[in-house]
Short mmCIF file of all heavy atoms in Angstrom, two decimals:
data_model
loop_
_atom_site.label_atom_id
_atom_site.label_comp_id
_atom_site.label_asym_id
_atom_site.label_seq_id
_atom_site.Cartn_x
_atom_site.Cartn_y
_atom_site.Cartn_z
N MET A 1 5.18 -27.74 -32.28
CA MET A 1 4.49 -27.76 -30.99
C MET A 1 3.01 -27.44 -31.19
O MET A 1 2.66 -26.48 -31.87
CB MET A 1 5.13 -26.73 -30.06
CG MET A 1 4.36 -26.57 -28.76
SD MET A 1 5.11 -25.40 -27.64
CE MET A 1 6.64 -26.18 -27.29
N ASN A 2 2.16 -28.20 -30.57
CA ASN A 2 0.73 -27.88 -30.63
C ASN A 2 0.29 -27.22 -29.33
O ASN A 2 1.07 -27.08 -28.39
CB ASN A 2 -0.10 -29.13 -30.94
CG ASN A 2 0.11 -30.23 -29.90
OD1 ASN A 2 0.41 -29.94 -28.74
ND2 ASN A 2 -0.03 -31.46 -30.31
N CYS A 3 -0.97 -26.82 -29.27
CA CYS A 3 -1.46 -26.06 -28.12
C CYS A 3 -1.40 -26.89 -26.84
O CYS A 3 -1.11 -26.37 -25.78
CB CYS A 3 -2.89 -25.59 -28.38
SG CYS A 3 -2.97 -24.36 -29.68
N LYS A 4 -1.70 -28.17 -26.97
CA LYS A 4 -1.70 -29.03 -25.79
C LYS A 4 -0.31 -29.05 -25.16
O LYS A 4 -0.15 -28.91 -23.94
CB LYS A 4 -2.09 -30.44 -26.23
CG LYS A 4 -2.71 -31.27 -25.13
CD LYS A 4 -3.20 -32.59 -25.70
CE LYS A 4 -3.22 -33.65 -24.60
NZ LYS A 4 -3.51 -34.99 -25.13
N GLU A 5 0.70 -29.20 -26.01
CA GLU A 5 2.08 -29.22 -25.55
C GLU A 5 2.45 -27.85 -24.96
O GLU A 5 3.10 -27.77 -23.91
CB GLU A 5 3.00 -29.56 -26.74
CG GLU A 5 4.47 -29.54 -26.43
CD GLU A 5 4.92 -30.78 -25.67
OE1 GLU A 5 4.06 -31.62 -25.32
OE2 GLU A 5 6.12 -30.90 -25.43
N ALA A 6 2.01 -26.80 -25.61
CA ALA A 6 2.32 -25.44 -25.14
C ALA A 6 1.73 -25.22 -23.75
O ALA A 6 2.40 -24.67 -22.87
CB ALA A 6 1.77 -24.41 -26.13
N ILE A 7 0.50 -25.66 -23.56
CA ILE A 7 -0.17 -25.47 -22.27
C ILE A 7 0.55 -26.25 -21.18
O ILE A 7 0.74 -25.77 -20.07
CB ILE A 7 -1.66 -25.87 -22.40
CG1 ILE A 7 -2.41 -24.78 -23.14
CG2 ILE A 7 -2.27 -26.10 -21.03
CD1 ILE A 7 -3.78 -25.20 -23.62
N ARG A 8 0.98 -27.44 -21.53
CA ARG A 8 1.71 -28.25 -20.55
C ARG A 8 3.00 -27.53 -20.13
O ARG A 8 3.33 -27.45 -18.95
CB ARG A 8 2.04 -29.62 -21.15
CG ARG A 8 2.56 -30.62 -20.13
CD ARG A 8 2.90 -31.94 -20.77
NE ARG A 8 3.99 -31.84 -21.73
CZ ARG A 8 5.28 -31.77 -21.41
NH1 ARG A 8 5.65 -31.80 -20.15
NH2 ARG A 8 6.22 -31.67 -22.34
N LEU A 9 3.70 -26.98 -21.13
CA LEU A 9 4.95 -26.28 -20.83
C LEU A 9 4.70 -25.02 -20.02
O LEU A 9 5.48 -24.67 -19.14
CB LEU A 9 5.68 -25.94 -22.13
CG LEU A 9 6.35 -27.11 -22.84
CD1 LEU A 9 6.96 -26.64 -24.15
CD2 LEU A 9 7.41 -27.75 -21.96
N MET A 10 3.58 -24.35 -20.31
CA MET A 10 3.30 -23.11 -19.58
C MET A 10 3.10 -23.38 -18.10
O MET A 10 3.60 -22.64 -17.25
CB MET A 10 2.04 -22.44 -20.16
CG MET A 10 2.34 -21.60 -21.36
SD MET A 10 0.91 -20.63 -21.85
CE MET A 10 0.22 -21.65 -23.12
N SER A 11 2.37 -24.45 -17.79
CA SER A 11 2.15 -24.72 -16.36
C SER A 11 3.44 -25.24 -15.73
O SER A 11 3.70 -25.00 -14.56
CB SER A 11 0.98 -25.67 -16.14
OG SER A 11 0.98 -26.70 -17.06
N GLU A 12 4.23 -25.93 -16.52
CA GLU A 12 5.52 -26.40 -16.01
C GLU A 12 6.43 -25.21 -15.72
O GLU A 12 7.14 -25.17 -14.72
CB GLU A 12 6.18 -27.29 -17.08
CG GLU A 12 6.96 -28.45 -16.50
CD GLU A 12 7.43 -29.38 -17.60
OE1 GLU A 12 6.58 -30.05 -18.19
OE2 GLU A 12 8.64 -29.40 -17.88
N GLU A 13 6.37 -24.21 -16.62
CA GLU A 13 7.22 -23.03 -16.48
C GLU A 13 6.90 -22.27 -15.19
O GLU A 13 7.75 -21.56 -14.65
CB GLU A 13 6.99 -22.13 -17.70
CG GLU A 13 8.02 -21.03 -17.87
CD GLU A 13 7.67 -20.14 -19.05
OE1 GLU A 13 6.49 -20.01 -19.39
OE2 GLU A 13 8.61 -19.57 -19.63
N MET A 14 5.66 -22.39 -14.72
CA MET A 14 5.26 -21.70 -13.50
C MET A 14 6.03 -22.26 -12.29
O MET A 14 6.26 -21.56 -11.32
CB MET A 14 3.77 -21.91 -13.24
CG MET A 14 2.89 -21.21 -14.24
SD MET A 14 2.76 -19.46 -13.86
CE MET A 14 2.06 -18.85 -15.38
N ASP A 15 6.37 -23.53 -12.36
CA ASP A 15 6.99 -24.17 -11.21
C ASP A 15 8.50 -24.27 -11.31
O ASP A 15 9.18 -24.31 -10.31
CB ASP A 15 6.41 -25.57 -11.03
CG ASP A 15 4.91 -25.52 -10.75
OD1 ASP A 15 4.49 -24.61 -10.01
OD2 ASP A 15 4.17 -26.36 -11.28
N ARG A 16 8.98 -24.32 -12.53
CA ARG A 16 10.44 -24.41 -12.66
C ARG A 16 10.84 -23.86 -14.02
O ARG A 16 10.01 -23.76 -14.92
CB ARG A 16 10.89 -25.87 -12.54
CG ARG A 16 10.32 -26.78 -13.60
CD ARG A 16 10.81 -28.21 -13.40
NE ARG A 16 10.33 -29.08 -14.47
CZ ARG A 16 10.92 -29.22 -15.64
NH1 ARG A 16 12.01 -28.54 -15.92
NH2 ARG A 16 10.43 -30.04 -16.55
N ASP A 17 12.11 -23.51 -14.16
CA ASP A 17 12.60 -23.00 -15.44
C ASP A 17 12.63 -24.12 -16.47
O ASP A 17 13.04 -25.24 -16.17
CB ASP A 17 14.02 -22.45 -15.26
CG ASP A 17 13.98 -21.09 -14.57
OD1 ASP A 17 12.90 -20.46 -14.59
OD2 ASP A 17 15.01 -20.68 -14.04
N LEU A 18 12.18 -23.79 -17.67
CA LEU A 18 12.26 -24.76 -18.76
C LEU A 18 13.68 -24.78 -19.29
O LEU A 18 14.41 -23.80 -19.16
CB LEU A 18 11.30 -24.35 -19.88
CG LEU A 18 9.82 -24.27 -19.51
CD1 LEU A 18 9.04 -23.73 -20.69
CD2 LEU A 18 9.30 -25.63 -19.11
N ASP A 19 14.04 -25.90 -19.92
CA ASP A 19 15.34 -25.89 -20.57
C ASP A 19 15.25 -25.08 -21.86
O ASP A 19 14.16 -24.77 -22.35
CB ASP A 19 15.85 -27.31 -20.81
CG ASP A 19 14.97 -28.08 -21.77
OD1 ASP A 19 14.84 -27.65 -22.93
OD2 ASP A 19 14.41 -29.11 -21.35
N GLY A 20 16.39 -24.70 -22.38
CA GLY A 20 16.45 -23.76 -23.49
C GLY A 20 15.55 -24.11 -24.66
O GLY A 20 14.84 -23.26 -25.18
N GLY A 21 15.57 -25.37 -25.08
CA GLY A 21 14.79 -25.78 -26.24
C GLY A 21 13.30 -25.61 -26.03
O GLY A 21 12.60 -25.06 -26.88
N ASN A 22 12.82 -26.07 -24.89
CA ASN A 22 11.40 -25.95 -24.60
C ASN A 22 10.97 -24.50 -24.46
O ASN A 22 9.91 -24.11 -24.92
CB ASN A 22 11.07 -26.69 -23.29
CG ASN A 22 10.91 -28.18 -23.52
OD1 ASN A 22 10.63 -28.61 -24.63
ND2 ASN A 22 11.10 -28.95 -22.47
N ARG A 23 11.82 -23.71 -23.82
CA ARG A 23 11.49 -22.31 -23.62
C ARG A 23 11.36 -21.61 -24.97
O ARG A 23 10.45 -20.82 -25.20
CB ARG A 23 12.56 -21.64 -22.76
CG ARG A 23 12.09 -20.34 -22.13
CD ARG A 23 13.00 -19.92 -21.02
NE ARG A 23 14.39 -19.87 -21.44
CZ ARG A 23 15.42 -20.09 -20.66
NH1 ARG A 23 15.22 -20.39 -19.39
NH2 ARG A 23 16.64 -20.03 -21.11
N PHE A 24 12.29 -21.92 -25.86
CA PHE A 24 12.28 -21.30 -27.18
C PHE A 24 11.05 -21.75 -27.96
O PHE A 24 10.36 -20.93 -28.58
CB PHE A 24 13.55 -21.67 -27.94
CG PHE A 24 13.61 -21.07 -29.31
CD1 PHE A 24 13.89 -19.72 -29.47
CD2 PHE A 24 13.39 -21.87 -30.43
CE1 PHE A 24 13.93 -19.17 -30.74
CE2 PHE A 24 13.43 -21.32 -31.70
CZ PHE A 24 13.70 -19.97 -31.85
N ALA A 25 10.75 -23.04 -27.91
CA ALA A 25 9.60 -23.57 -28.64
C ALA A 25 8.31 -22.95 -28.12
O ALA A 25 7.41 -22.61 -28.89
CB ALA A 25 9.56 -25.08 -28.51
N LEU A 26 8.23 -22.79 -26.82
CA LEU A 26 7.03 -22.20 -26.22
C LEU A 26 6.89 -20.75 -26.63
O LEU A 26 5.80 -20.29 -26.99
CB LEU A 26 7.12 -22.33 -24.69
CG LEU A 26 5.95 -21.76 -23.90
CD1 LEU A 26 4.65 -22.45 -24.28
CD2 LEU A 26 6.19 -21.91 -22.41
N ARG A 27 8.00 -20.01 -26.60
CA ARG A 27 7.95 -18.60 -26.98
C ARG A 27 7.50 -18.48 -28.43
O ARG A 27 6.68 -17.63 -28.77
CB ARG A 27 9.35 -18.00 -26.80
CG ARG A 27 9.38 -16.52 -27.04
CD ARG A 27 10.75 -15.95 -26.81
NE ARG A 27 11.12 -15.93 -25.40
CZ ARG A 27 12.22 -15.38 -24.93
NH1 ARG A 27 13.10 -14.84 -25.76
NH2 ARG A 27 12.49 -15.38 -23.65
N LEU A 28 8.03 -19.36 -29.26
CA LEU A 28 7.68 -19.35 -30.68
C LEU A 28 6.18 -19.63 -30.86
O LEU A 28 5.50 -18.98 -31.63
CB LEU A 28 8.50 -20.42 -31.40
CG LEU A 28 8.73 -20.22 -32.89
CD1 LEU A 28 9.64 -19.02 -33.13
CD2 LEU A 28 9.37 -21.47 -33.48
N HIS A 29 5.69 -20.60 -30.13
CA HIS A 29 4.29 -20.96 -30.25
C HIS A 29 3.39 -19.80 -29.82
O HIS A 29 2.38 -19.50 -30.45
CB HIS A 29 3.97 -22.19 -29.41
CG HIS A 29 2.54 -22.62 -29.55
ND1 HIS A 29 2.11 -23.48 -30.54
CD2 HIS A 29 1.44 -22.28 -28.84
CE1 HIS A 29 0.80 -23.64 -30.42
NE2 HIS A 29 0.37 -22.94 -29.39
N LYS A 30 3.79 -19.10 -28.76
CA LYS A 30 2.97 -18.00 -28.28
C LYS A 30 2.97 -16.84 -29.28
O LYS A 30 2.02 -16.07 -29.33
CB LYS A 30 3.45 -17.54 -26.90
CG LYS A 30 2.97 -18.46 -25.80
CD LYS A 30 3.25 -17.90 -24.43
CE LYS A 30 4.73 -17.98 -24.12
NZ LYS A 30 5.02 -17.60 -22.73
N LEU A 31 4.05 -16.74 -30.05
CA LEU A 31 4.11 -15.69 -31.07
C LEU A 31 3.04 -15.91 -32.13
O LEU A 31 2.46 -14.95 -32.64
CB LEU A 31 5.49 -15.68 -31.74
CG LEU A 31 6.57 -14.84 -31.08
CD1 LEU A 31 7.87 -15.02 -31.84
CD2 LEU A 31 6.17 -13.37 -31.07
N ILE A 32 2.78 -17.16 -32.46
CA ILE A 32 1.87 -17.43 -33.56
C ILE A 32 0.48 -17.82 -33.08
O ILE A 32 -0.44 -17.91 -33.88
CB ILE A 32 2.41 -18.55 -34.48
CG1 ILE A 32 2.69 -19.82 -33.65
CG2 ILE A 32 3.67 -18.10 -35.21
CD1 ILE A 32 2.83 -21.05 -34.50
N CYS A 33 0.29 -18.04 -31.78
CA CYS A 33 -0.98 -18.58 -31.31
C CYS A 33 -1.62 -17.64 -30.29
O CYS A 33 -1.15 -17.54 -29.16
CB CYS A 33 -0.75 -19.96 -30.72
SG CYS A 33 -2.26 -20.68 -30.11
N VAL A 34 -2.66 -16.96 -30.71
CA VAL A 34 -3.35 -16.01 -29.83
C VAL A 34 -3.98 -16.75 -28.65
O VAL A 34 -3.94 -16.26 -27.52
CB VAL A 34 -4.44 -15.24 -30.61
CG1 VAL A 34 -5.15 -14.26 -29.70
CG2 VAL A 34 -3.83 -14.52 -31.78
N GLY A 35 -4.55 -17.90 -28.92
CA GLY A 35 -5.22 -18.66 -27.87
C GLY A 35 -4.30 -18.94 -26.70
O GLY A 35 -4.68 -18.76 -25.54
N CYS A 36 -3.09 -19.35 -26.99
CA CYS A 36 -2.15 -19.68 -25.92
C CYS A 36 -1.62 -18.43 -25.22
O CYS A 36 -1.34 -18.47 -24.04
CB CYS A 36 -1.01 -20.53 -26.47
SG CYS A 36 -1.54 -22.22 -26.79
N ARG A 37 -1.53 -17.34 -25.97
CA ARG A 37 -1.14 -16.09 -25.31
C ARG A 37 -2.19 -15.71 -24.28
O ARG A 37 -1.88 -15.34 -23.16
CB ARG A 37 -1.01 -14.95 -26.34
CG ARG A 37 0.34 -14.92 -27.02
CD ARG A 37 0.68 -13.51 -27.47
NE ARG A 37 -0.24 -12.97 -28.44
CZ ARG A 37 -0.17 -13.16 -29.76
NH1 ARG A 37 0.79 -13.91 -30.25
NH2 ARG A 37 -1.04 -12.63 -30.57
N ASN A 38 -3.46 -15.79 -24.66
CA ASN A 38 -4.54 -15.48 -23.72
C ASN A 38 -4.54 -16.44 -22.55
O ASN A 38 -4.74 -16.04 -21.41
CB ASN A 38 -5.89 -15.54 -24.44
CG ASN A 38 -6.08 -14.36 -25.36
OD1 ASN A 38 -5.43 -13.33 -25.19
ND2 ASN A 38 -6.93 -14.51 -26.34
N TYR A 39 -4.30 -17.70 -22.86
CA TYR A 39 -4.28 -18.70 -21.79
C TYR A 39 -3.20 -18.37 -20.77
O TYR A 39 -3.42 -18.44 -19.57
CB TYR A 39 -4.04 -20.08 -22.38
CG TYR A 39 -4.02 -21.17 -21.34
CD1 TYR A 39 -5.20 -21.67 -20.82
CD2 TYR A 39 -2.81 -21.66 -20.85
CE1 TYR A 39 -5.18 -22.65 -19.84
CE2 TYR A 39 -2.78 -22.64 -19.88
CZ TYR A 39 -3.97 -23.13 -19.38
OH TYR A 39 -3.95 -24.09 -18.41
N GLN A 40 -2.04 -17.96 -21.27
CA GLN A 40 -0.95 -17.64 -20.34
C GLN A 40 -1.30 -16.43 -19.48
O GLN A 40 -0.99 -16.40 -18.29
CB GLN A 40 0.34 -17.37 -21.11
CG GLN A 40 1.45 -16.82 -20.21
CD GLN A 40 2.74 -17.58 -20.34
OE1 GLN A 40 3.33 -17.57 -21.41
NE2 GLN A 40 3.18 -18.23 -19.30
N LYS A 41 -1.98 -15.45 -20.10
CA LYS A 41 -2.40 -14.28 -19.32
C LYS A 41 -3.30 -14.71 -18.18
O LYS A 41 -3.13 -14.28 -17.04
CB LYS A 41 -3.16 -13.30 -20.23
CG LYS A 41 -2.27 -12.26 -20.87
CD LYS A 41 -3.12 -11.25 -21.60
CE LYS A 41 -2.39 -10.74 -22.84
NZ LYS A 41 -3.32 -10.14 -23.82
N GLN A 42 -4.28 -15.56 -18.51
CA GLN A 42 -5.21 -16.03 -17.48
C GLN A 42 -4.46 -16.81 -16.40
O GLN A 42 -4.71 -16.65 -15.22
CB GLN A 42 -6.27 -16.93 -18.10
CG GLN A 42 -7.30 -16.16 -18.89
CD GLN A 42 -8.22 -17.10 -19.65
OE1 GLN A 42 -8.39 -18.24 -19.25
NE2 GLN A 42 -8.77 -16.62 -20.75
N LEU A 43 -3.53 -17.62 -16.86
CA LEU A 43 -2.78 -18.46 -15.93
C LEU A 43 -2.01 -17.60 -14.94
O LEU A 43 -2.05 -17.84 -13.73
CB LEU A 43 -1.81 -19.34 -16.73
CG LEU A 43 -1.35 -20.63 -16.09
CD1 LEU A 43 -2.52 -21.59 -15.98
CD2 LEU A 43 -0.25 -21.26 -16.92
N SER A 44 -1.32 -16.57 -15.43
CA SER A 44 -0.54 -15.75 -14.51
C SER A 44 -1.46 -14.90 -13.64
O SER A 44 -1.14 -14.63 -12.49
CB SER A 44 0.48 -14.88 -15.25
OG SER A 44 -0.11 -14.21 -16.31
N PHE A 45 -2.61 -14.53 -14.18
CA PHE A 45 -3.57 -13.77 -13.37
C PHE A 45 -4.08 -14.63 -12.22
O PHE A 45 -4.09 -14.20 -11.06
CB PHE A 45 -4.74 -13.32 -14.25
CG PHE A 45 -5.82 -12.61 -13.46
CD1 PHE A 45 -5.65 -11.29 -13.09
CD2 PHE A 45 -6.97 -13.27 -13.10
CE1 PHE A 45 -6.63 -10.63 -12.37
CE2 PHE A 45 -7.96 -12.63 -12.37
CZ PHE A 45 -7.79 -11.31 -12.00
N ILE A 46 -4.44 -15.87 -12.54
CA ILE A 46 -4.95 -16.77 -11.51
C ILE A 46 -3.88 -17.03 -10.47
O ILE A 46 -4.13 -17.04 -9.27
CB ILE A 46 -5.41 -18.10 -12.16
CG1 ILE A 46 -6.69 -17.86 -12.96
CG2 ILE A 46 -5.64 -19.17 -11.10
CD1 ILE A 46 -7.05 -19.00 -13.87
N ARG A 47 -2.66 -17.20 -10.95
CA ARG A 47 -1.58 -17.49 -10.02
C ARG A 47 -1.33 -16.32 -9.09
O ARG A 47 -1.12 -16.50 -7.88
CB ARG A 47 -0.31 -17.83 -10.81
CG ARG A 47 0.72 -18.54 -9.97
CD ARG A 47 1.87 -19.00 -10.83
NE ARG A 47 2.97 -19.44 -10.01
CZ ARG A 47 3.14 -20.67 -9.59
NH1 ARG A 47 2.29 -21.58 -9.94
NH2 ARG A 47 4.17 -21.00 -8.87
N GLN A 48 -1.34 -15.12 -9.66
CA GLN A 48 -1.16 -13.93 -8.83
C GLN A 48 -2.26 -13.85 -7.78
O GLN A 48 -2.00 -13.55 -6.62
CB GLN A 48 -1.23 -12.67 -9.71
CG GLN A 48 0.14 -12.17 -10.10
CD GLN A 48 0.05 -10.96 -11.00
OE1 GLN A 48 -1.01 -10.34 -11.09
NE2 GLN A 48 1.13 -10.62 -11.66
N ALA A 49 -3.48 -14.11 -8.21
CA ALA A 49 -4.62 -14.05 -7.30
C ALA A 49 -4.42 -15.06 -6.17
O ALA A 49 -4.69 -14.75 -5.02
CB ALA A 49 -5.91 -14.32 -8.05
N CYS A 50 -3.93 -16.24 -6.51
CA CYS A 50 -3.70 -17.27 -5.49
C CYS A 50 -2.63 -16.82 -4.51
O CYS A 50 -2.77 -17.00 -3.31
CB CYS A 50 -3.25 -18.57 -6.15
SG CYS A 50 -4.59 -19.42 -6.97
N GLN A 51 -1.57 -16.22 -5.03
CA GLN A 51 -0.48 -15.79 -4.14
C GLN A 51 -0.95 -14.71 -3.20
O GLN A 51 -0.58 -14.67 -2.04
CB GLN A 51 0.72 -15.30 -4.98
CG GLN A 51 1.52 -16.47 -5.52
CD GLN A 51 2.56 -16.05 -6.53
OE1 GLN A 51 2.56 -14.92 -7.01
NE2 GLN A 51 3.45 -16.96 -6.87
N GLN A 52 -1.82 -13.80 -3.71
CA GLN A 52 -2.34 -12.76 -2.84
C GLN A 52 -3.20 -13.38 -1.75
O GLN A 52 -3.17 -12.95 -0.61
CB GLN A 52 -3.15 -11.76 -3.66
CG GLN A 52 -2.25 -10.74 -4.33
CD GLN A 52 -2.96 -9.94 -5.40
OE1 GLN A 52 -4.18 -10.05 -5.53
NE2 GLN A 52 -2.22 -9.16 -6.14
N GLN A 53 -3.95 -14.41 -2.13
CA GLN A 53 -4.80 -15.09 -1.15
C GLN A 53 -3.95 -15.72 -0.07
O GLN A 53 -4.26 -15.63 1.11
CB GLN A 53 -5.64 -16.15 -1.87
CG GLN A 53 -6.71 -16.77 -0.98
CD GLN A 53 -7.64 -15.71 -0.39
OE1 GLN A 53 -8.11 -14.82 -1.10
NE2 GLN A 53 -7.89 -15.78 0.89
N VAL A 54 -2.83 -16.33 -0.48
CA VAL A 54 -1.93 -16.95 0.49
C VAL A 54 -1.38 -15.89 1.43
O VAL A 54 -1.32 -16.09 2.63
CB VAL A 54 -0.78 -17.68 -0.24
CG1 VAL A 54 0.32 -18.04 0.74
CG2 VAL A 54 -1.32 -18.93 -0.93
N ALA A 55 -1.01 -14.73 0.88
CA ALA A 55 -0.47 -13.66 1.70
C ALA A 55 -1.50 -13.23 2.74
O ALA A 55 -1.17 -12.98 3.89
CB ALA A 55 -0.07 -12.49 0.82
N VAL A 56 -2.75 -13.18 2.32
CA VAL A 56 -3.81 -12.80 3.26
C VAL A 56 -3.95 -13.86 4.35
O VAL A 56 -4.09 -13.54 5.52
CB VAL A 56 -5.15 -12.62 2.51
CG1 VAL A 56 -6.31 -12.51 3.48
CG2 VAL A 56 -5.09 -11.37 1.63
N ASP A 57 -3.86 -15.12 3.94
CA ASP A 57 -4.02 -16.20 4.91
C ASP A 57 -2.88 -16.20 5.94
O ASP A 57 -3.07 -16.62 7.07
CB ASP A 57 -4.04 -17.56 4.21
CG ASP A 57 -5.38 -17.76 3.49
OD1 ASP A 57 -6.33 -17.02 3.78
OD2 ASP A 57 -5.45 -18.67 2.65
N ASP A 58 -1.68 -15.74 5.49
CA ASP A 58 -0.54 -15.74 6.40
C ASP A 58 -0.60 -14.60 7.40
O ASP A 58 0.04 -14.66 8.44
CB ASP A 58 0.77 -15.63 5.60
CG ASP A 58 1.11 -16.98 4.98
OD1 ASP A 58 0.52 -17.98 5.40
OD2 ASP A 58 1.96 -17.02 4.08
N ALA A 59 -1.37 -13.57 7.09
CA ALA A 59 -1.44 -12.43 7.99
C ALA A 59 -2.10 -12.87 9.30
O ALA A 59 -2.96 -13.74 9.30
CB ALA A 59 -2.25 -11.32 7.34
N PRO A 60 -1.66 -12.29 10.39
CA PRO A 60 -2.26 -12.66 11.68
C PRO A 60 -3.72 -12.26 11.69
O PRO A 60 -4.09 -11.22 11.15
CB PRO A 60 -1.46 -11.85 12.70
CG PRO A 60 -0.82 -10.76 11.93
CD PRO A 60 -0.63 -11.28 10.54
N PRO A 61 -4.54 -13.07 12.29
CA PRO A 61 -5.97 -12.74 12.35
C PRO A 61 -6.18 -11.50 13.20
O PRO A 61 -5.44 -11.25 14.14
CB PRO A 61 -6.60 -13.98 12.99
CG PRO A 61 -5.49 -14.62 13.76
CD PRO A 61 -4.22 -14.29 13.02
N THR A 62 -7.16 -10.72 12.84
CA THR A 62 -7.43 -9.54 13.64
C THR A 62 -7.97 -9.99 14.99
O THR A 62 -8.80 -10.89 15.07
CB THR A 62 -8.47 -8.64 12.94
OG1 THR A 62 -9.60 -9.45 12.63
CG2 THR A 62 -7.91 -8.05 11.66
N THR A 63 -7.46 -9.40 16.03
CA THR A 63 -7.91 -9.81 17.37
C THR A 63 -9.32 -9.32 17.61
O THR A 63 -9.63 -8.17 17.31
CB THR A 63 -6.97 -9.22 18.44
OG1 THR A 63 -6.83 -7.83 18.21
CG2 THR A 63 -5.61 -9.88 18.40
N PRO A 64 -10.15 -10.17 18.13
CA PRO A 64 -11.52 -9.75 18.40
C PRO A 64 -11.54 -8.73 19.54
O PRO A 64 -10.64 -8.70 20.37
CB PRO A 64 -12.21 -11.04 18.81
CG PRO A 64 -11.12 -11.93 19.27
CD PRO A 64 -9.89 -11.54 18.50
N ASP A 65 -12.51 -7.92 19.55
CA ASP A 65 -12.64 -6.92 20.60
C ASP A 65 -13.01 -7.61 21.91
O ASP A 65 -14.06 -8.20 22.05
CB ASP A 65 -13.74 -5.92 20.21
CG ASP A 65 -13.76 -4.74 21.18
OD1 ASP A 65 -12.94 -4.72 22.11
OD2 ASP A 65 -14.61 -3.86 20.99
N LEU A 66 -12.06 -7.57 22.87
CA LEU A 66 -12.30 -8.29 24.12
C LEU A 66 -12.94 -7.39 25.18
O LEU A 66 -13.18 -7.80 26.30
CB LEU A 66 -10.97 -8.84 24.65
CG LEU A 66 -10.35 -9.94 23.77
CD1 LEU A 66 -8.99 -10.32 24.30
CD2 LEU A 66 -11.26 -11.16 23.70
N ASN A 67 -13.14 -6.16 24.83
CA ASN A 67 -13.74 -5.25 25.80
C ASN A 67 -15.06 -4.69 25.28
O ASN A 67 -15.12 -3.55 24.85
CB ASN A 67 -12.77 -4.10 26.11
CG ASN A 67 -11.51 -4.63 26.77
OD1 ASN A 67 -11.58 -5.34 27.76
ND2 ASN A 67 -10.37 -4.27 26.20
N PRO A 68 -16.08 -5.49 25.28
CA PRO A 68 -17.37 -4.99 24.79
C PRO A 68 -17.90 -3.92 25.73
O PRO A 68 -17.62 -3.96 26.93
CB PRO A 68 -18.28 -6.23 24.82
CG PRO A 68 -17.66 -7.12 25.83
CD PRO A 68 -16.18 -6.85 25.80
N PRO A 69 -18.57 -2.96 25.21
CA PRO A 69 -19.14 -1.93 26.09
C PRO A 69 -20.09 -2.55 27.10
O PRO A 69 -20.84 -3.46 26.77
CB PRO A 69 -19.89 -1.00 25.11
CG PRO A 69 -20.09 -1.81 23.88
CD PRO A 69 -18.96 -2.80 23.82
N GLN A 70 -20.00 -2.09 28.31
CA GLN A 70 -20.84 -2.68 29.36
C GLN A 70 -22.20 -2.02 29.38
O GLN A 70 -22.32 -0.81 29.44
CB GLN A 70 -20.15 -2.53 30.71
CG GLN A 70 -18.94 -3.42 30.82
CD GLN A 70 -18.48 -3.54 32.25
OE1 GLN A 70 -19.00 -2.87 33.14
NE2 GLN A 70 -17.49 -4.41 32.47
N ARG A 71 -23.18 -2.86 29.26
CA ARG A 71 -24.56 -2.35 29.33
C ARG A 71 -25.29 -3.14 30.39
O ARG A 71 -25.62 -4.30 30.19
CB ARG A 71 -25.24 -2.51 27.98
CG ARG A 71 -24.84 -1.42 27.01
CD ARG A 71 -25.61 -1.56 25.72
NE ARG A 71 -24.87 -0.92 24.63
CZ ARG A 71 -24.69 -1.48 23.45
NH1 ARG A 71 -25.17 -2.66 23.20
NH2 ARG A 71 -24.03 -0.84 22.52
N LEU A 72 -25.51 -2.56 31.51
CA LEU A 72 -26.19 -3.26 32.60
C LEU A 72 -27.66 -2.91 32.69
O LEU A 72 -28.07 -1.82 32.38
CB LEU A 72 -25.51 -2.92 33.93
CG LEU A 72 -24.05 -3.38 34.00
CD1 LEU A 72 -23.39 -2.79 35.25
CD2 LEU A 72 -23.97 -4.91 34.06
ZN1 LIG B 101 -1.55 -22.61 -29.03
#
């Protein structure tokens, strides 16, 4: 497995479980390849950040203050 293949599998793994052979090959590649280990760290960090952003977007918007102080 080369890095290109490993990267493809890593992003695939984010969306669905890999089959046994691919999962094993990917794990093996990450053992020997620092670059891909770092890439995976970044990938999961970015994904986590995206999920947090989605959670924020799902939260109800804060209601604006409808009672402004009256200044006549
Ligand atoms: Zn690699």
